[in-house]
Amino acid sequence: MDLSQIRAPVADDVKAVDTLIIDRLQSSVVLINQIGHYIVSSGGKRLRPLLVLLAARACGYTGARHLDAAAIVEFIHTATLLHDDVVDGSELRRNRDTANSVWGNEASVLVGDFLYARSFEMMVEVGNLRVMEVMAGATARIAEGEVLQLLNAHDADTDEARYMEVIQRKTATLFEAGTRLGAVITETSAEIESAMASYGLHLGIAFQLVDDALDYMSDDGTIGKQIGDDLEEGKPTLPVIRAMEVGNEAQRTLLRQAIEDGGRQHIDAVIDAIVETKAIDYTIELARWHAQAAKQALNAVPESPSRDSMAATADFAVARTY
């Protein structure tokens, strides 16, 4: 399935969430409207809110609160993007200038704060304490992941375990929370809630692993950012960590220097080392393992078109080139 086919079982819900997002972005402060609409309309996959919708329907939900839950997850995700781009000094995302490069760091951070606040307003309106518990915990873990990533920056001794801890917190946590919410608002069994959370966690890990692989294997126009962004920021992601682990002495020296110094001046040699050590293959294979674990978690959920789309999303996460 492609994304349009994956969305099919919840196509009307997707449209309703898009409308809700635009409605709840509204503020009497013009700059908030400008930046909020700029980042939300920038053409992302909207995978996280889609998964909330699919999870809720797969659990048998028939109400409308899953729309609010999906919008909440998207607002939190958007807030993290705004803050991430400031921390990383990024200038390009999804083939567009980042908000901080257009309006400045201060405005981007503050609008990110607004989106966090708006998402928590919406949680109160949902009126389910468990929803607030899940999302408050997720938001804290995401922030912890950001700090851990900052601590790992330019540290060539970062190993696979430390890297995995970062991506579990920073990326997979929001996937896990979103799919868990589908079960929470349905008030389904603890077994199904746990299965939905496990699906989201493994899917989020697979998704980030592929993202980190693509940083060293795609052209700029395909992934919507510059090749080697992670290296420029001194981020030791799995392709580099693995290449350092199994590479020869010259390759290890090159990669260590690249992480410690940052920048793209040795990007061609770094990519050569990553390819020669089959570090991309290693990263993608690990992503496939997590995607399969995500699909296996769905065995606890009754068959339905929405469950099929969730399984297809796991395949998409690994097979995608953007």
Side-chain angles (χ1 to χ4, degrees), residues 178-247:
T179 51
R180 184 188 292 275
L181 286 188
V184 168
I185 63 173
T186 310
E187 299 181 352
T188 188
S189 69
E191 178 189 5
I192 290 181
E193 180 182 329
S194 178
M196 282 296 182
S198 178
Y199 166 86
L201 179 68
H202 285 293
L203 177 65
I205 293 171
F207 188 87
Q208 187 60 56
L209 286 166
V210 172
D211 256 14
D212 291 344
L214 288 174
D215 194 55
Y216 292 101
M217 59 186 289
S218 295
D219 60 88
D220 294 358
T222 300
I223 63 175
K225 65 176 185 177
Q226 293 176 292
I227 296 301
D229 267 356
D230 291 338
L231 185 65
E232 182 173 40
E233 296 157 11
K235 292 180 183 177
T237 58
L238 189 56
V240 176
I241 292 169
R242 176 64 178 176
M244 286 185 65
E245 181 182 349
V246 302

Side-chain angles (χ1 to χ4, degrees), residues 53-97:
L53 301 175
L54 289 171
R57 294 306 192 193
C59 289
Y61 186 66
T62 58
R65 284 303 188 188
H66 65 316
L67 305 179
D68 299 285
I72 287 165
V73 167
E74 181 65 5
F75 280 162
I76 290 177
H77 175 56
T78 304
T80 65
L81 295 185
L82 285 165
H83 288 173
D84 282 356
D85 287 341
V86 170
V87 171
D88 296 338
S90 300
E91 297 180 353
L92 188 68
R93 182 182 287 278
R94 299 168 183 163
N95 285 318
R96 298 178 72 189
D97 293 335

